Amino acid sequence: MTQLLPCVEHKPSVAPTACVIWLHGLGDSGHGFAPIVPELKLPESMAVKFIFPHAPERPVTINGGMRMRAWYDIKSLDFNSRADLSGVKESAEQVSALIDAQIDSGIPANRIVLAGFSQGGVVALHLAPRLDKQLAGVMALSTYLCEPGLLSEQAKETNRHIPFFFAHGNQDEVVPMFMGNAAYKTLKDNGFNATWKSYTMQHNVCMQELNDISAWLQNVLA
């Protein structure tokens, strides 16, 4: 059995009936995005629990082999080989175990949103199309696809029709916007229900994006 990742949890004041699992970027931790929950201003009646898991620590090649929290190794910044597939798969299995744990706690899969920023988004975009449980939706923030050529043969029907929300900064120098847009187009070309929004920002989140995320979550989890 996969050992569950340690997480930061933000629970509603009532028993949760929905859950957002939000994966952070390279070198960050679950604490990084936790402070945005109040900024989303979701109604308490939605009873949404937020889970922010910590990626395991591992050596990262592009950072001189320094150990840091990372969902996978990055061996080069080349567009086609930036994400280490074996690491992405390993992290996807750990996140899948987190989803199963939420289902076991009484929250059905179709009330669970999977979200990820940058590296975390790569894992979310790898896992969701291959998952055999139907989620509520997926948020892919300032991110890209690992091995896009594999999607057509590995994607399952289960989550093809749920909403995938892509958001990216048009001044992003870490993950250039063309990489995020290519991921969005790959999912669209494979019949996934994806939408795209860009923002005047760098490799981060902005207030307008948070407002859009809030509206999207309220629609998806209504």
Side-chain angles (χ1 to χ4, degrees), residues 26-27 56-75 84 87 90 119:
L26 175 67
E57 289 189 358
R58 69 180 80 222
V60 176
T61 303
I62 59 158
N63 288 340
M66 188 185 300
R67 289 184 68 83
M68 61 184 63
R69 292 201 181 278
W71 296 108
Y72 52 86
D73 188 21
I74 299 178
K75 294 186 170 70
D84 169 51
E90 181 186 323
Q119 260 209 348

Side-chain angles (χ1 to χ4, degrees), residues 79 145 148 166 177-187 189 196:
F79 172 51
L145 262 182
F166 282 80
M177 193 168 75
F178 79 85
M179 292 178 69
N181 196 250
Y184 157 72
K185 287 176 177 172
T186 299
L187 262 77
D189 290 347
W196 171 267

Side-chain angles (χ1 to χ4, degrees), residues 3-79:
Q3 186 174 1
L4 287 183
L5 293 163
C7 303
V8 176
E9 289 196 11
H10 189 288
K11 294 181 179 176
S13 58
V14 294
T17 60
C19 177
V20 177
I21 299 174
W22 196 312
L23 312 177
H24 63 76
L26 175 67
D28 199 0
S29 74
H31 294 287
F33 277 101
I36 72 153
V37 176
E39 302 292 328
L40 295 173
K41 297 182 173 63
L42 298 179
E44 273 294 311
S45 59
M46 285 180 65
V48 182
K49 171 166 66 170
F50 283 80
I51 295 177
F52 301 94
H54 304 298
E57 289 189 358
R58 69 180 80 222
V60 176
T61 303
I62 59 158
N63 288 340
M66 188 185 300
R67 289 184 68 83
M68 61 184 63
R69 292 201 181 278
W71 296 108
Y72 52 86
D73 188 21
I74 299 178
K75 294 186 170 70
S76 87
L77 292 176
D78 178 66
F79 172 51

Side-chain angles (χ1 to χ4, degrees), residues 136-155:
V138 177
M139 288 194 297
L141 313 175
S142 304
T143 192
Y144 58 102
L145 262 182
C146 172
E147 304 281 356
L150 297 176
L151 187 66
S152 60
E153 61 188 72
Q154 295 180 357

Side-chain angles (χ1 to χ4, degrees), residues 179-202:
M179 292 178 69
N181 196 250
Y184 157 72
K185 287 176 177 172
T186 299
L187 262 77
K188 287 287 282 184
D189 290 347
N190 280 275
F192 284 85
N193 176 21
T195 55
W196 171 267
K197 292 208 81 166
S198 63
Y199 301 86
T200 305
M201 63 178 186
Q202 298 176 326

